Amino acid sequence: MQSSPKSIAEMEKSVEHDHFTYRPLDQERREIRLVQLSCKLQVASNGKSVPSMRMHHASFDGENLPQYTALSYTWGTGPKGIVLVEDEGESAREVHVSTNLLDALCHFAALSDQSLETVRPVFWIDQLCINQNDKDEKNHQVAMMTEIFGQAKMTNVWLGSRQATLSCEVFKRYDQDASRIMEVISDDLELHNDHSCASQGVDRILSELSKDDWEKFHALADFCTHPWFERAWVVQEVATSSKVIVHWEGGKCEWSCFQKLWLLLHLLIQRILVAKVSHQMAAVHLLGRTLITLHVTVTQSWNPPRTYPLIELIENMLMYGMTRATQPEDLIYSTMGIASDQDTCGIEVDYKKHYTEIFTEAALEFLKTLGAQALAWSCQLTKINDSPRLPSWVPDFRLQLGFMVIEPIVAHRFDLSSKQFSAAGNRNFAYTVDENREKLSIRTFFVDKVVEVKSFHFMAEHLASAGSVTLQYQAWLADYGKFFDFAADLVPTRYDDSIREEMHWRIPIADRYFDRDAIAVRRAGLEVKEWYKAIRHPDDPLTASAISMSPKYKTLIFMKPHVAFITASGYIGLGHPDTVEGDEVHLIQGSEIPFLLRKTEGHYQLGSQAYVHGIMDGELVDDNTEFQWLDIH
């Protein structure tokens, strides 16, 4: 049993202002540090009243596991605060912590003071309970993170003390409406076993919400796009915790509130879009941003740990902007503990290594797992100016996922058996890496060199007004068609009339589309041609289905910002917006799609994946085709 906290007078007398020294943890006993928070603030050397606590060690070995609450929060930047920490057998010392953690400790100290419980709260807090200057200890503790959050009786999330009053009130209101919807669905289905009854009840609630003004939508977005939701560690912390309570100054809620809110936002956005509430269409952007912010953490919290492989967890985090981390390597470490392939993953927590080494180790793991498909994935993450130490084939995980010419995955995002293309044939991927892990050697077949690039940026600025949207798409597709016809005229023997017609509707969408009903990426079929015709040639006889589905073709174009290119021998394709004349089209052995490589200073760099019409089904290769070894730096 721990002794009771010292009195205020005793604490003030025993405070020392020199550097806090951590007692070493016994790693064999899997020890962690815990802090027991006093409900009373103490006076620090700066004259301010600050939280005080007692620190002790606890072990995960044995039957009597420690009882504590884990704290999840954003470290933040800027000025530091002071807290008083007394280790066992030592005088209390001042420890500098982030301002946000100081606010959290003040908040929970005040809650403890108001509580009738006699036992003061015990917390595990990474900033205090891990010696951040001891990398060996940090490696050990971070490797235990899933266990630390999994063994905690609960996890308290701290969103901060600066949440706007209106934002909090609007969040509470939407939480109540989300609960009403869940009750309507549950009650109606139980009584009638009929989805239509539930739909009517839900629609009444959504109809009320869709009439909200812009200010309320904005307030909800402000509340739910707090920086905490962008933390890389959030997914693991929430997924492994048995209970999560979200706190802010003046309020709190259980994590299930955010799960219900995520569902409500889905339904509300649908309601506004279907009803075409013109004055609320702009709110869809705000609500959608909120939905995206919540997406990964909420959806992962519905699944047990070890449901998804490491690369899929990382992809989801990067895709939805969860890239907030104190150190870049945490973008990898933060999901390793809940990955389904954790036991076979060759990456170990090691803060002594530079983050570029960890990124390279992750890239090699993905190559081992996915083969050439990992290179297609890596192409999404272009390098930024301060990453010269990263080879071109290693993703810079600090960036949010960017543009892809062709979604490389079908059905399940990492189901290697679901291929639509076979540009390089059916040979296995082959690669080697040099001792310094800088040069990736792969087998490729050179196709051609890019000689002309045409930009076709179709973004929001093209949508001048709601009435001109279709005309803008028609004009854009017409320009596309002129470029394709110009390229086809260069090699008339390759492109007959039927192939030219195909090019016009297949190339703009890279010959694939996302089938939301089947949750799969599909090869474009003739029905997609009808969607295209409904936009490009609206005066032609069209089926009702083609007209109703034409917006889907618009969406496919809108989501693929790209450039079109022509090669020296007349091939036409799509590439990344950074594609330039002189880039080379290669088929990488084992890949289903072509790649653009760039030769600079005598060596090759990985550029982007590409769609090249007429070679996507292995037309250029057979069993006798020789693939040559090529070094990628």
Side-chain angles (χ1 to χ4, degrees):
M1 179 180 292
Q2 301 298 324
S3 56
S4 59
K6 293 184 178 182
S7 67
I8 296 177
E10 289 175 322
M11 283 287 292
E12 288 179 341
K13 287 179 181 178
S14 62
V15 170
E16 297 184 21
H17 307 305
D18 54 343
H19 184 69
F20 183 82
T21 302
Y22 283 94
R23 286 186 298 119
L25 292 171
D26 187 336
Q27 296 187 8
E28 290 186 1
R29 297 184 63 242
R30 298 190 301 132
E31 280 191 343
I32 62 172
R33 296 185 184 91
L34 298 172
V35 291
Q36 187 170 31
L37 184 63
S38 172
C39 63
K40 302 296 183 182
L41 302 182
Q42 314 295 342
V43 180
S45 60
N46 59 7
K48 296 181 178 179
S49 297
V50 301
S52 62
M53 63 208 73
R54 299 193 64 185
M55 179 178 287
H56 63 275
H57 291 195
S59 171
F60 279 162
D61 276 357
E63 297 180 358
N64 297 321
L65 296 176
Q67 298 293 308
Y68 60 93
T69 296
L71 184 64
S72 177
Y73 63 104
T74 55
W75 278 40
T77 57
K80 298 283 188 178
I82 293 175
V83 296
L84 301 178
V85 181
E86 176 191 337
D87 201 357
E88 291 179 344
E90 299 289 337
S91 301
R93 297 174 187 261
E94 294 186 347
V95 178
H96 290 275
V97 297
S98 67
T99 303
N100 192 43
L101 176 55
L102 178 62
D103 290 342
L105 292 170
C106 289
H107 174 82
F108 290 112
L111 287 182
S112 176
D113 191 30
Q114 298 164 11
S115 171
L116 299 177
E117 296 182 10
T118 56
V119 178
R120 297 308 175 198
V122 176
F123 284 95
W124 182 88
I125 306 169
D126 58 353
Q127 202 173 147
L128 288 170
C129 297
I130 299 177
N131 183 355
Q132 301 294 331
N133 296 317
D134 184 339
K135 291 185 178 179
D136 285 325
E137 178 183 300
K138 192 172 180 179
N139 293 342
H140 176 260
Q141 293 289 285
V142 169
M144 291 179 61
M145 203 70 80
T146 54
E147 191 172 13
I148 290 172
F149 277 85
Q151 292 289 353
K153 63 181 182 180
M154 73 172 67
T155 294
N156 278 343
V157 174
W158 173 245
L159 293 185
S161 59
R162 296 169 180 82
Q163 295 286 65
T165 302
L166 177 61
S167 297
C168 297
E169 290 176 353
V170 171
F171 172 78
K172 291 177 182 177
R173 180 267 181 101
Y174 273 76
D175 174 45
Q176 292 169 355
D177 288 324
S179 298
R180 286 170 58 201
I181 283 179
M182 298 302 290
E183 289 173 6
V184 168
I185 292 175
S186 176
D187 291 346
D188 283 350
L189 290 181
E190 185 176 342
L191 289 172
H192 307 285
N193 194 27
D194 182 358
H195 286 275
S196 62
C197 297
S199 298
Q200 293 170 12
V202 168
D203 194 63
R204 284 194 296 271
I205 299 172
L206 294 177
S207 179
E208 296 171 13
L209 285 174
S210 66
K211 297 173 185 176
D212 271 353
D213 56 37
W214 174 269
E215 186 179 17
K216 289 180 180 177
F217 287 139
H218 206 290
L220 179 67
D222 283 346
F223 186 89
C224 296
T225 54
H226 185 278
W228 179 83
F229 293 99
E230 299 172 2
R231 289 182 61 240
W233 285 100
V234 162
V235 172
Q236 179 172 284
E237 292 169 356
V238 172
T240 56
S241 298
S242 59
K243 182 179 181 180
V244 179
I245 306 293
V246 182
H247 293 257
W248 61 93
E249 187 170 344
K252 65 178 181 178
C253 70
E254 294 190 6
W255 179 248
S256 59
C257 295
F258 288 92
Q259 293 175 321
K260 290 183 292 184
L261 178 63
W262 183 83
L263 174 62
L264 172 63
L265 290 176
H266 260 293
L267 298 173
L268 182 56
I269 290 172
Q270 268 187 337
R271 174 66 171 71
I272 293 175
L273 290 174
V274 171
K276 297 181 180 179
V277 186
S278 58
H279 69 283
Q280 295 296 15
M281 292 300 286
V284 170
H285 171 72
L286 273 178
L287 297 174
R289 181 164 63 92
T290 308
L291 187 71
I292 287 172
T293 304
L294 296 175
H295 178 79
V296 177
T297 311
V298 167
T299 54
Q300 293 294 340
S301 67
W302 276 322
N303 297 297
R306 300 203 175 196
T307 299
Y308 301 104
L310 179 63
I311 187 171
E312 187 164 359
L313 291 170
I314 292 175
E315 182 187 53
N316 280 331
M317 287 172 53
L318 300 184
M319 185 181 296
Y320 292 97
M322 299 182 68
T323 56
R324 187 181 291 270
T326 306
Q327 294 178 262
E329 50 268 51
D330 285 341
L331 296 167
I332 306 297
Y333 297 153
S334 60
T335 53
M336 282 171 46
I338 57 172
S340 60
D341 52 354
Q342 178 192 24
D343 296 335
T344 57
C345 178
I347 308 171
E348 294 184 357
V349 177
D350 189 350
Y351 285 95
K352 292 181 179 180
K353 294 180 179 179
H354 192 269
Y355 76 86
T356 55
E357 294 182 71
I358 305 304
F359 286 4
T360 301
E361 289 180 11
L364 289 172
E365 281 298 313
F366 299 158
L367 281 172
K368 184 173 67 177
T369 305
L370 298 176
Q373 192 166 269
L375 296 178
W377 190 84
S378 297
C379 288
Q380 301 172 88
L381 295 167
T382 54
K383 309 300 178 291
I384 55 180
N385 293 333
D386 63 339
S387 57
R389 295 170 62 175
L390 284 174
S392 65
W393 52 273
V394 176
D396 190 337
F397 294 99
R398 295 173 297 171
L399 298 178
Q400 188 168 347
L401 276 183
F403 162 78
M404 300 189 73
V405 178
I406 304 173
E407 301 84 348
I409 318 303
V410 182
H412 187 271
R413 290 198 61 79
F414 297 96
D415 179 2
L416 298 183
S417 65
S418 301
K419 292 184 177 181
Q420 261 93 43
F421 299 118
S422 55
N426 296 312
R427 304 187 194 189
N428 293 327
F429 180 55
Y431 73 98
T432 62
V433 180
D434 71 326
E435 186 177 350
N436 295 324
R437 295 181 171 182
E438 296 175 351
K439 181 176 66 178
L440 174 71
S441 298
I442 54 178
R443 295 178 70 93
T444 78
F445 175 76
F446 171 75
V447 176
D448 212 352
K449 183 173 290 188
V450 174
V451 294
E452 186 168 349
V453 178
K454 177 72 173 177
S455 176
F456 285 99
H457 295 300
F458 188 84
M459 302 303 286
E461 60 266 23
H462 291 78
L463 307 179
S465 66
S468 66
V469 170
T470 300
L471 293 177
Q472 291 284 350
Y473 276 102
Q474 289 175 4
W476 187 79
L477 288 172
D479 287 343
Y480 232 140
K482 291 176 184 177
F483 183 73
F484 296 156
D485 289 338
F486 164 75
D489 287 341
L490 299 176
V491 194
T493 55
R494 179 182 295 155
Y495 301 109
D496 60 26
D497 290 343
S498 62
I499 295 177
R500 285 180 182 235
E501 184 183 16
E502 263 200 350
M503 288 162 45
H504 282 239
W505 63 270
R506 287 192 187 276
I507 295 180
I509 60 172
D511 203 13
R512 293 217 283 195
Y513 75 99
F514 183 71
D515 185 342
R516 292 190 178 276
D517 294 332
I519 316 179
V521 179
R522 303 269 190 219
R523 189 78 178 261
L526 291 179
E527 73 278 8
V528 180
K529 176 183 178 181
E530 296 302 310
W531 306 348
Y532 164 84
K533 288 171 62 178
I535 303 170
R536 183 70 184 88
H537 306 291
D539 296 330
D540 290 355
L542 298 167
T543 65
S545 174
I547 296 172
S548 66
M549 294 298 287
S550 63
K552 195 168 188 176
Y553 194 91
K554 295 178 184 178
T555 303
L556 292 170
I557 300 171
F558 190 81
M559 295 179 68
K560 292 180 183 295
H562 54 250
V563 296
F565 62 79
I566 305 173
T567 70
S569 58
Y571 286 111
I572 308 166
L574 300 181
H576 190 279
D578 291 338
T579 302
V580 297
E581 294 176 7
D583 286 350
E584 297 180 8
V585 179
H586 284 253
L587 301 179
I588 296 176
Q589 183 173 306
S591 174
E592 61 174 307
I593 55 177
F595 283 82
L596 291 170
L597 305 183
R598 184 170 299 173
K599 196 171 185 178
T600 56
E601 300 179 357
H603 60 257
Y604 283 93
Q605 292 186 325
L606 182 67
S608 75
Q609 47 179 322
Y611 173 85
V612 183
H613 196 72
I615 73 170
M616 300 302 291
D617 295 311
E619 292 91 339
L620 295 185
V621 298
D622 56 31
D623 293 341
N624 298 318
T625 303
E626 292 188 11
F627 285 75
Q628 304 296 325
W629 283 102
L630 189 72
D631 296 335
I632 306 294
H633 291 256

